[in-house]
Amino acid sequence: MLTLLRTNNLIARCAALWLLLGAPSVEAAPAACASVSDPQHAAAIAAAEAWRTARWAKVAARWTTAYVIPPPPPAPLGIGSLPRAREMGAPDTPPKAIAGLASVAALTCTTELAPSGAGFVVHYTARGLRFNEAGQGWSRPLKSSVLHVLDIRRATADAPFNASEQPEARVALIPGMRLALPTAADVANASPRKARSIKTR
């Protein structure tokens, strides 16, 4: 696994594997977010949209996010420096964080009541998900993939809705990824083309 971290488009391969394992199961077919008319449910969707727009920006005609995957914790007591550990694939130097961009051609928002009846669930599904690790080139796009499954809840009845990712949901992004809006420098480093303007809406 440590050896794989050195190769390009690791995230794309992991995303494809997750898709082969299947999508998260739901009790009923979610409804399109745009079709929701209930004020409480609409407020929950607005909280999900605020969560998304803090991470995904419109770059040219695609939604794009900058990601960082933290390195795994170091081996305890210097085990990684032992000859036997190196034979098993442990690197000679501590692994570094993996940074890159993820981009999708289109995002679809669907929603439903939470199975517990407390709050709502919002799903973001993507068409054409691809990755560019450290400016090494874009991976082949995935046809369709689940990006995020968000729990939308209130701490109290009069508190605003709060969005958080379901840790158990099977999605195309690796758990622990830190997402942020991409900068013009991020876009320039990911593509030989001149960076284009970034819109957050």
Side-chain angles (χ1 to χ4, degrees):
M1 182 61 180
L2 292 173
T3 303
L4 288 177
L5 291 176
R6 301 175 181 174
T7 63
N8 187 30
N9 295 327
L10 164 70
I11 313 305
R13 290 191 296 274
C14 291
L17 177 60
W18 277 112
L19 293 176
L20 289 174
L21 292 175
S25 60
V26 294
E27 295 298 325
C33 292
S35 69
V36 171
S37 58
D38 174 72
Q40 294 298 316
H41 200 161
I45 294 170
E49 285 290 281
W51 185 96
R52 178 192 59 78
T53 56
R55 293 160 176 81
W56 292 84
K58 205 68 176 288
V59 179
R62 298 180 64 91
W63 290 102
T64 303
T65 187
Y67 65 80
V68 174
I69 303 175
L77 305 176
I79 292 175
S81 63
L82 299 176
R84 179 58 177 164
R86 288 197 297 270
E87 291 175 7
M88 297 178 65
D92 295 331
T93 58
K96 297 180 180 180
I98 299 174
L101 294 180
S103 175
V104 302
L107 278 172
T108 300
C109 176
T110 56
T111 186
E112 61 189 328
L113 290 172
S116 64
F120 304 91
V121 178
V122 171
H123 308 252
Y124 285 104
T125 304
R127 177 171 55 82
L129 173 63
R130 60 183 186 175
F131 300 93
N132 190 315
E133 293 178 19
Q136 296 184 44
W138 289 101
S139 65
R140 287 188 175 184
L142 300 173
K143 184 176 181 181
S144 180
S145 53
V146 178
L147 278 187
H148 304 292
V149 180
L150 303 179
D151 278 321
I152 317 295
R153 300 174 184 268
R154 284 176 162 159
T156 61
D158 56 351
F161 281 106
N162 183 55
S164 62
E165 290 188 285
Q166 285 187 358
E168 72 279 7
R170 185 168 291 141
V171 296
L173 302 181
I174 289 179
M177 261 187 175
R178 297 199 297 261
L179 306 182
L181 292 176
T183 65
D186 291 330
V187 178
N189 291 335
S191 171
R193 299 177 181 176
K194 185 178 179 180
R196 303 186 182 185
S197 60
I198 295 175
K199 299 176 182 179
T200 58
R201 298 287 182 186

